[in-house]
Amino acid sequence: MKIKKVAVLTSGGDSPGMNAGLRAVVRACAYHNLKCVGVFRGFEGLIEGDFKDLDARSVKNIINRGGTFLKSARSKGFFTKEGRQQAFNNLKKFEVDALVVIGGDGTFAGASVFNKEHDFPIVGLPGTIDNDINGTDYTIGYDTALNTVVEAIDKIRDTANSHNRLFLVEVMGRNAGDIALNAGIGAGAEEILIPEENLGKDRLLESLKRSKKSGKTSSIVVVAEGDQIGKNIFELAKYIEENLKEYEVRVTVLGHIQRGGAPSCFDRVLASRLGVGAIDALLRGERDVMIGIVHNKVTSVPFDEAIQGENELDTELIRVADITSV
């Protein structure tokens, strides 16, 4: 089937660089003389028929903006066969031949089910700050989130040094430790707690004791939100205070600040490359695939492979973190 019209949407959590990806998809369509429509509010908008025609000028001045101008939403309706049928009906009603989705593993899982049910061409771009998608070295928004975290920790360290305090800083990432590990190294953290490496409470206490003996008057511990040492970061802080009386512990949860802000140059370029790659893949006849980047080369990976597991954490980085935190 010859593709003449492409729809594009963003789904799940927003991430910096999604707008750059949308811009690239729309302009790649214009370059290849394809029509393009934007779908507002993700799969929910697909079910409700919330479509808008887009051209090259529709996406001007958005490459530098965080979030997504098409909005995003969780869609309970898309979990049902009836909802997916309504989405398919709307795509046919608007004469759409293929769909580009930008989001994370939940987005790809929904797109894969939809493709299997309706044999409809879908290509995905990995848009999530967590960097937890298999088959791509980087996801859109990850680099920006890293820079946001490092900048925040740099500011927190000023206060930690002024008051001889121990700060526990919780960062996003779900069950992946990429943000915590890389930001922790970049910000010079004394300890980094990640789900992939169960440090344990006793080893953490010993490490903090060594830091104190070595002459450190303040410490930063970066904690991935999925780390399992304590029930939550506040319980961990209480445990440290009870066992290390010399430490005055403070907790900072960075939360959704990590998702916002203008995307970094890296994320803008990455999203642009993947957006163009998505239209290239559709024109080659590919479907049910994610467009990723491996060793700086744009590639395509089946949705099933992309969502089956997470990228392996770089063990060299764990060693670097251990050595540089002495």
Side-chain angles (χ1 to χ4, degrees):
M1 180 187 71
K2 185 176 181 181
I3 292 175
K4 298 179 181 179
K5 193 173 189 178
V6 176
V8 59
L9 61 80
T10 50
S11 175
D14 63 287
S15 62
M18 278 186 165
N19 278 325
L22 289 169
R23 173 181 179 270
V25 168
V26 174
R27 293 196 168 175
C29 284
Y31 179 84
H32 291 287
N33 295 314
L34 305 176
K35 292 181 180 179
C36 187
V37 295
V39 182
F40 286 88
R41 296 175 295 111
F43 291 131
E44 193 68 11
L46 206 60
I47 293 172
E48 296 178 5
D50 194 359
F51 292 29
K52 180 182 178 181
D53 290 333
L54 299 175
D55 59 25
R57 301 287 72 78
S58 302
V59 290
K60 66 180 181 181
N61 300 327
I62 67 167
I63 194 171
N64 59 315
R65 287 165 48 190
T68 161
F69 87 97
L70 286 180
K71 310 295 184 184
S72 187
R74 311 286 182 181
S75 176
K76 292 182 180 179
F78 205 74
F79 282 99
T80 68
K81 197 165 187 175
E82 295 76 16
R84 293 190 294 272
Q85 181 63 52
Q86 182 59 43
F88 178 73
N89 293 342
N90 283 329
L91 287 169
K92 288 303 177 184
K93 176 183 175 182
F94 285 86
E95 299 180 328
V96 174
D97 303 310
L99 175 65
V100 176
V101 298
I102 307 177
D105 52 2
T107 300
F108 296 159
S112 184
V113 170
F114 186 82
N115 176 275
K116 288 177 173 63
E117 286 180 352
H118 299 287
D119 192 27
F120 194 85
I122 306 181
V123 169
L125 306 187
T128 169
I129 68 168
D130 300 336
N131 205 43
D132 60 351
I133 303 294
N134 193 46
T136 183
D137 291 341
Y138 301 103
T139 58
I140 298 167
Y142 170 63
D143 183 72
T144 305
L146 269 185
N147 289 318
T148 299
V149 170
V150 169
E151 184 179 352
I153 295 175
D154 286 347
K155 290 179 169 64
I156 290 169
R157 187 178 291 281
D158 291 342
T159 295
N161 289 336
S162 297
H163 296 276
N164 295 340
R165 286 174 177 161
L166 166 63
F167 268 87
L168 302 183
V169 183
E170 183 183 276
V171 302
M172 282 183 166
R174 293 194 301 179
N175 295 317
D178 290 70
I179 292 178
L181 180 57
N182 284 272
I185 293 173
E190 279 64 44
E191 278 296 344
I192 304 168
L193 308 183
I194 55 177
E196 295 88 344
E197 293 281 316
N198 190 358
L199 183 62
K201 291 182 179 179
D202 292 338
R203 186 182 155 196
L204 175 61
L205 291 181
E206 288 302 314
S207 175
L208 293 173
K209 287 177 183 177
R210 286 196 302 272
S211 294
K212 201 75 171 177
K213 287 181 180 179
S214 69
K216 291 183 179 180
T217 57
S218 64
S219 290
I220 300 287
V221 176
V222 177
V223 184
E225 62 181 346
D227 185 73
Q228 300 298 313
I229 284 186
K231 290 181 180 178
N232 56 58
I233 194 172
F234 297 99
E235 183 194 74
L236 181 59
K238 183 179 179 182
Y239 178 83
I240 293 172
E241 283 188 323
E242 289 173 348
N243 289 274
L244 295 177
K245 302 295 184 182
E246 62 269 32
Y247 272 114
E248 183 181 358
V249 185
R250 293 290 184 270
V251 172
T252 297
V253 179
L254 294 182
H256 285 78
I257 189 174
Q258 295 158 88
R259 279 194 189 169
S264 65
C265 180
F266 181 91
D267 273 328
R268 298 182 198 192
V269 174
L270 174 65
S272 298
R273 292 180 69 185
L274 299 187
V276 170
I279 301 304
D280 289 343
L282 286 171
L283 292 175
R284 288 195 301 266
E286 295 185 38
R287 59 173 64 195
D288 207 26
V289 297
M290 176 198 76
I291 307 303
I293 191 159
V294 178
H295 302 312
N296 204 31
K297 299 292 184 183
V298 175
T299 185
S300 56
V301 179
F303 280 143
D304 289 345
E305 183 179 330
I307 63 181
Q308 72 179 5
E310 300 168 357
N311 274 334
E312 290 186 10
L313 211 59
D314 190 338
T315 54
E316 188 214 353
L317 287 179
I318 297 174
R319 179 172 177 268
V320 169
D322 288 339
I323 292 173
T324 57
S325 62
V326 171

